[in-house]
Amino acid sequence: LLIVILLLLQLVPILGLSPKLPRVNYFAYGSNLQPRILESRTLSRPGTLLPRPVILPNYKLCINLGTAASVETSPHSKVPGLIYKLPLPTFNILCLTEGYPLAYNLITVQTLDSNNNSISAYTFSSGRGLSDNKTTERYKNILVDGAKENGLGEEWISY
């Protein structure tokens, strides 16, 4: 029932019933660096999610949730990623598809844009610490392709 309600809420702006839904800043990393993956997970129309490159300071990208990525606190580290301004119903769908609260915790983080402006956002963290597992070649290619697609830089791509 909850999924049906969230899906119906997605139709509200499409039908022109309420163009001013509250929006949530979401910090994306991992496979959500690819807009088409995030669009499919949130049932969004292609091209409607416009990412903005940012850096998440004092966190590290870890493969500590099976073969999937997480961000974990790590002083002097940084994780390049993207900010998406998601309508609240879209963000709620994302929480469900990402496995919150079972697989991930929802945390508030402070990111920095290219002008060093601070942007508060929500993101997902497994909370499993800095341990690193091996990931699959397929997942690694998804991460690299997403980083290239969004101009996140060679430093991140070689990570």
Side-chain angles (χ1 to χ4, degrees):
L1 180 61
L2 178 61
I3 291 175
V4 171
I5 292 169
L6 290 172
L7 290 173
L8 290 174
L9 285 174
Q10 285 288 94
L11 293 175
V12 169
I14 295 169
L15 298 174
L17 300 175
S18 174
K20 295 291 183 188
L21 288 173
R23 295 192 168 262
V24 175
N25 285 334
Y26 163 62
F27 173 74
Y29 61 90
S31 59
N32 285 339
L33 291 176
Q34 290 193 9
R36 68 183 169 280
I37 289 177
L38 187 61
E39 289 164 354
S40 71
R41 287 183 178 158
T42 60
L43 308 173
S44 298
R45 290 176 297 161
T48 59
L49 304 178
L50 304 173
R52 179 178 176 185
V54 294
I55 296 290
L56 176 60
N58 299 312
Y59 280 81
K60 181 180 179 193
L61 183 75
C62 299
I63 306 297
N64 66 4
L65 189 62
T67 59
S70 178
V71 291
E72 304 295 338
T73 304
S74 178
H76 312 295
S77 297
K78 62 183 177 182
V79 179
L82 302 170
I83 289 286
Y84 290 93
K85 265 185 125 47
L86 300 177
L88 186 56
T90 302
F91 182 71
N92 289 336
I93 291 171
L94 179 63
C95 288
L96 289 173
T97 62
E98 288 292 338
Y100 168 76
L102 301 175
Y104 286 104
N105 300 311
L106 189 59
I107 61 172
T108 305
V109 294
Q110 294 298 317
T111 64
L112 298 173
D113 68 11
S114 60
N115 295 320
N116 227 24
N117 295 314
S118 181
I119 303 168
S120 183
Y122 290 102
T123 198
F124 300 102
S125 174
S126 71
R128 296 183 182 187
L130 296 174
S131 63
D132 248 346
N133 300 327
K134 290 203 180 266
T135 191
T136 63
E137 198 63 32
R138 178 184 169 277
Y139 189 72
K140 192 183 303 183
N141 288 337
I142 289 171
L143 301 183
V144 169
D145 290 348
K148 286 180 180 176
E149 184 177 338
N150 292 288
L152 293 183
E154 198 57 44
E155 175 189 345
W156 196 93
I157 294 168
S158 64
Y159 178 85

